[in-house]
């Protein structure tokens, strides 16, 4: 919530700067053209960042766990979660509330997240 508030505030400031620049714009001035382009790009980038995810979250069911020679695992490809240095939280639901648990987790050289367990469980994995 705080992140979005800051983004809205920065978009407001950039928009104000853009309006002021439009009133002071001189088509013969290189500095005026650079200012206008910079403010347009900054405002557009800030607006786009509102739609970028800040985390990836998914609930996995017991039957979604796969098996390899090391045991049970779930792999979430980097192309799905989209983070270069992911922080991984694993939670299970107890009495209607999700509580974090420890499970071995790793990130391979491709950026894919791999979570391992001994017994299949319904869980929520959050990557940020």
């Amino acid at each position: 919530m705080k992140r979005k508030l800051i983004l809205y505030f920065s978009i407001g400031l950039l928009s104000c700067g853009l309006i002021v620049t439009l009133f002071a714009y001189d088509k013969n001035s290189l500095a005026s053209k650079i200012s206008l382009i910079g403010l347009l790009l900054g405002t557009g980038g800030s607006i786009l960042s509102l739609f970028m995810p800040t985390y990836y979250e998914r609930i996995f069911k017991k039957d979604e766990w796969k098996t390899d020679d090391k045991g049970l695992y779930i792999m979430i490809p980097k192309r799905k979660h989209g983070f270069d240095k992911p922080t991984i939280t694993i939670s299970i639901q107890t009495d209607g509330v999700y509580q974090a648990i420890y499970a071995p987790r790793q990130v391979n050289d491709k950026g894919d997240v791999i979570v391992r367990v001994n017994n299949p469980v319904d869980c929520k994995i959050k990557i940020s």
Side-chain angles (χ1 to χ4, degrees), residues 72-83:
L72 295 165
Y73 74 97
I74 284 181
M75 184 176 77
I76 303 162
K78 182 181 178 187
R79 70 181 173 343
K80 281 197 176 185
H81 66 73
F83 294 95

Side-chain angles (χ1 to χ4, degrees), residues 42-60:
T43 304
S46 291
I47 291 169
L48 284 176
S49 69
L50 281 172
F51 302 102
M52 293 176 62
T54 55
Y55 64 91
Y56 170 89
E57 184 176 82
R58 181 163 167 225
I59 295 174
F60 290 91

Side-chain angles (χ1 to χ4, degrees), residues 74-94:
I74 284 181
M75 184 176 77
I76 303 162
K78 182 181 178 187
R79 70 181 173 343
K80 281 197 176 185
H81 66 73
F83 294 95
D84 290 326
K85 295 181 181 178
T87 300
I88 307 149
T89 305
I90 303 145
S91 306
I92 59 171
Q93 194 172 26
T94 308

